[in-house]
Amino acid sequence: MQMFVHVALAVAMATVRCHAHEEAESSNKSEAVQIVCVGDSITHGSLASAQARSYPARLQALLDDIHGAGRFNVTNLGAEGAGMLQHGSDPYWGRPEFLTLARGQWDIVIIMLGTNDAKDKGDGGDDNWEDNCGTADMPNLPDCTFATDYKNMIELVRSLGTTDLPPHVYMLIPPPLMHRSAYGINQTMI
């Protein structure tokens, strides 16, 4: 998990650094660049040694170190147990964090959902995953419920920009599941 946090931070930092200067130059605004991290317990930092060790908190600290405090505001909207599937056992769409996301205005949106969507009865979990996405060799995205719900989330957050332009949206891949059937999640679906 420690390695994943470093990788997530590297990806998030690269993402933000690519657009930080662009945001500051193009907006001419005095307010902080608004970054929101959307996800599940991994984003929330549930198993971190402290909340300050979640990847959004570490991203905030790194941005403050590089650009000075007050230039960026990172909001952690991780919701423990939540998934992307609107009809899954615990959809992000029905959580208070989703309402905060939908009511906010953002410059950068980072989404990492999908771990809890991989729960299935065969691994002792809820029956979340609908096996309608095809295979790695023959994907079937038009009929894939997960892809459709992800697309709907992206369309929603693209309407929540702080300016007339949509926010930059980035999707992170959840870390691999290292133990078979842990948390009732199917290892091969993540």
Side-chain angles (χ1 to χ4, degrees):
M1 185 59 100
Q2 183 77 12
M3 185 170 129
F4 168 73
V5 170
H6 291 294
V7 171
L9 277 171
V11 169
M13 282 301 298
T15 296
V16 171
R17 290 185 95 179
C18 285
H19 295 287
H21 183 70
E22 179 184 320
E23 287 290 335
E25 292 297 314
S26 67
S27 67
N28 289 327
K29 62 182 184 176
S30 60
E31 303 97 38
V33 173
Q34 298 299 313
I35 302 170
V36 63
C37 299
V38 174
D40 53 28
S41 59
I42 298 166
T43 300
H44 182 263
S46 298
L47 295 178
S49 57
Q51 192 63 34
R53 307 249 334 136
S54 68
Y55 93 78
R58 293 182 72 187
L59 177 60
Q60 180 72 66
L62 285 169
L63 290 169
D64 288 348
D65 287 349
I66 294 168
H67 300 283
R71 300 271 309 171
F72 294 87
N73 181 45
V74 179
T75 301
N76 184 344
L77 293 182
E80 296 182 37
M84 179 63 78
L85 290 168
Q86 292 187 50
H87 299 292
S89 61
D90 194 357
Y92 190 84
W93 304 82
R95 301 298 288 280
E97 293 85 353
F98 173 76
L99 294 175
T100 302
L101 171 70
R103 291 178 181 151
Q105 291 185 310
W106 314 102
D107 296 301
I108 298 172
V109 179
I110 302 170
I111 303 171
M112 186 173 60
L113 284 166
T115 301
N116 294 307
D117 297 303
K119 290 180 179 177
D120 72 1
K121 287 193 184 280
D123 288 286
D126 296 319
D127 195 14
N128 281 348
W129 190 256
E130 296 180 33
D131 198 11
N132 60 3
C133 297
T135 65
D137 295 331
M138 295 202 52
N140 180 16
L141 295 182
D143 296 328
C144 179
T145 308
F146 182 79
T148 299
D149 288 350
Y150 220 115
K151 178 179 164 263
N152 291 339
M153 177 69 76
I154 292 168
E155 287 174 357
L156 170 79
V157 299
R158 288 187 52 80
S159 71
L160 303 175
T162 59
T163 68
D164 292 340
L165 298 174
H168 298 283
V169 180
Y170 299 92
M171 298 159 288
L172 301 182
I173 298 171
L177 185 64
M178 303 310 283
H179 301 285
R180 186 179 171 182
S181 301
Y183 310 106
I185 298 170
N186 184 315
Q187 236 178 343
T188 62
M189 290 185 194
I190 295 181

